[in-house]
Amino acid sequence: MKEILQYLFNQNTLSRSEAQSILTEIAQNKFNTAEVTAFITVFLMRNITLEELEGFRQALLRMALPVNLDCNDALDIVGTGGDGKNTINISTLASFIIAGAGQKVTKHGNYGASTITGSSNVMEELGYQFKNNSEDLSRDLEKANLCFIHAPLFHPALQSVGELRKSLGLRTFFNLLGPLVNPSKPQFSIIGVYNLEIARIYQYLLQQDQRDFAIVHGLDGYDEISLTSDTKIITKNTEEIFTTQDLGFNAILPESIQGGNTPQESAQIFRNILEGKGTDSQNSVVLANAAVALHHTHKFGDYQQCFYLAKESLESKKALACLQNLIK
């Protein structure tokens, strides 16, 4: 590792194969904590390259435990995290609204490393028992139209660096990998990113996949549609900026979608929203993200129809029923 670090400290970058090899060795615990910390720190000092991200992604996917689900049109909606905004768990809430509207969701998530409450924290707090095999995940998908894939159970590398990431409390390149390595390989991926440079790298990488994607970036720094400002959405064939009015909403204030200060508070906010006790701002932001995701599948009509489906899923408690069925 010393040679690798010296090479990187001299402002060199890794090839795809080098990145893949190093992350594989990190997962195999071949380096001590200080060495891994120094390696991660390199990517806090500069942006990751496309080849490095490709190599890291390949390493995680090759080491991942396989997930085989009888579903060829599932969707995942996930953000990189690390935007420092401490919002409510928007993508996870939107996942249940999407499931309640009739779209199967294979949600990939993890504990928060640079945030207070990641999707796994809130799911655990709500009473969900993480599953570690395809059979249990398939049963969840059947009864709730959604299954939750807790990343460390399927990615040895993420498990091996989990404590280190938490102790650092900073956004690292692992934030960028999470949305790219869902082991169920959903047909549709809605991925939120915290800046446009990362959006470009994702765009180049995902263009090589057969599956469909939409990259979402709130132009004031959110890794999701926040409705606090305009949103850029990039797909395989389009790149557009949408105002809040374009999406059918009024602009909201950042403080109106703040998350809790503990996993317990976040889970209570989460449940309140699904139970119909959310504020207008909270409801608006999760509905916007759910509607865009539904529209991206091209299965539910135009955006307006997708919005009504999402709204009906939330207001009729179909989304809540998906959660209740999942944690039974």
Side-chain angles (χ1 to χ4, degrees), residues 222-293:
Y222 287 82
D223 69 333
E224 51 217 347
I225 300 168
S226 65
L227 299 181
T228 56
S229 183
D230 296 349
T231 302
K232 173 162 274 195
I233 300 179
I234 301 169
T235 68
K236 277 193 173 182
N237 303 310
T238 63
E239 183 172 326
E240 297 179 78
I241 291 177
F242 295 89
T243 67
T244 55
Q245 287 75 25
D246 290 336
L247 298 173
F249 298 94
N250 294 319
I252 64 175
L253 297 173
E255 53 266 31
S256 69
I257 52 170
Q258 286 288 288
N261 294 315
T262 65
Q264 294 77 21
E265 286 183 16
S266 297
Q268 188 57 58
I269 293 170
F270 194 102
R271 186 176 286 281
N272 284 348
I273 292 170
L274 291 186
E275 288 178 348
K277 304 171 189 171
T279 66
D280 288 343
S281 294
Q282 290 170 340
N283 292 340
S284 293
V285 76
V286 295
L287 288 174
N289 282 270
V292 165

Side-chain angles (χ1 to χ4, degrees), residues 29-230:
N29 295 310
K30 290 190 176 180
F31 308 116
N32 62 43
T33 300
E35 289 172 325
V36 176
T37 302
F39 182 75
I40 290 174
T41 301
V42 169
F43 300 94
L44 296 175
M45 306 294 287
R46 67 162 172 84
N47 286 321
I48 197 169
T49 68
L50 176 60
E51 285 205 341
E52 288 167 338
L53 187 61
E54 284 180 314
F56 292 150
R57 184 195 192 197
Q58 287 172 355
L60 286 187
L61 288 174
R62 288 188 179 183
M63 290 184 290
L65 297 179
V67 174
N68 299 307
L69 304 173
D70 186 21
C71 180
N72 59 9
D73 66 343
L75 176 147
D76 188 14
I77 175 170
V78 59
T80 56
D83 62 10
K85 303 295 188 181
N86 188 33
T87 58
I88 58 178
N89 295 84
I90 293 171
S91 63
T92 311
L93 280 158
S95 294
F96 283 98
I97 293 171
I98 293 163
Q103 169 63 45
K104 290 192 180 300
V105 179
T106 55
K107 180 78 178 87
H108 193 224
N110 202 347
Y111 293 126
S114 55
T115 57
I116 295 170
T117 308
S119 56
S120 289
N121 299 99
V122 78
M123 291 300 296
E124 196 169 52
E125 196 63 39
L126 289 165
Y128 180 69
Q129 299 292 313
F130 298 136
K131 311 300 194 304
N132 63 359
N133 61 81
S134 298
E135 292 74 20
D136 286 340
L137 290 172
S138 293
R139 280 191 284 271
D140 282 351
L141 193 60
E142 180 64 29
K143 68 184 181 182
N145 229 28
L146 180 150
C147 66
F148 186 85
I149 301 170
H150 179 53
L153 294 181
F154 296 89
H155 294 289
L158 295 181
Q159 196 166 35
S160 68
V161 299
E163 285 302 316
L164 174 58
R165 290 181 66 201
K166 187 64 178 175
S167 64
L168 283 173
L170 298 169
R171 179 177 69 209
T172 69
F173 68 81
F174 286 100
N175 285 81
L176 304 183
L177 287 169
L180 298 172
V181 295
N182 186 327
S184 72
K185 299 178 180 177
Q187 177 62 34
F188 305 102
S189 293
I190 314 299
I191 301 176
V193 300
Y194 53 82
N195 71 34
L196 286 175
E197 188 161 0
I198 296 304
R200 292 282 172 238
I201 293 176
Y202 267 41
Q203 182 183 20
Y204 293 137
L205 190 151
L206 293 169
Q207 286 284 5
Q208 303 168 30
D209 286 358
Q210 296 300 311
R211 298 185 296 277
D212 291 321
F213 69 87
I215 301 166
V216 174
H217 171 63
L219 292 180
D220 51 347
Y222 287 82
D223 69 333
E224 51 217 347
I225 300 168
S226 65
L227 299 181
T228 56
S229 183
D230 296 349

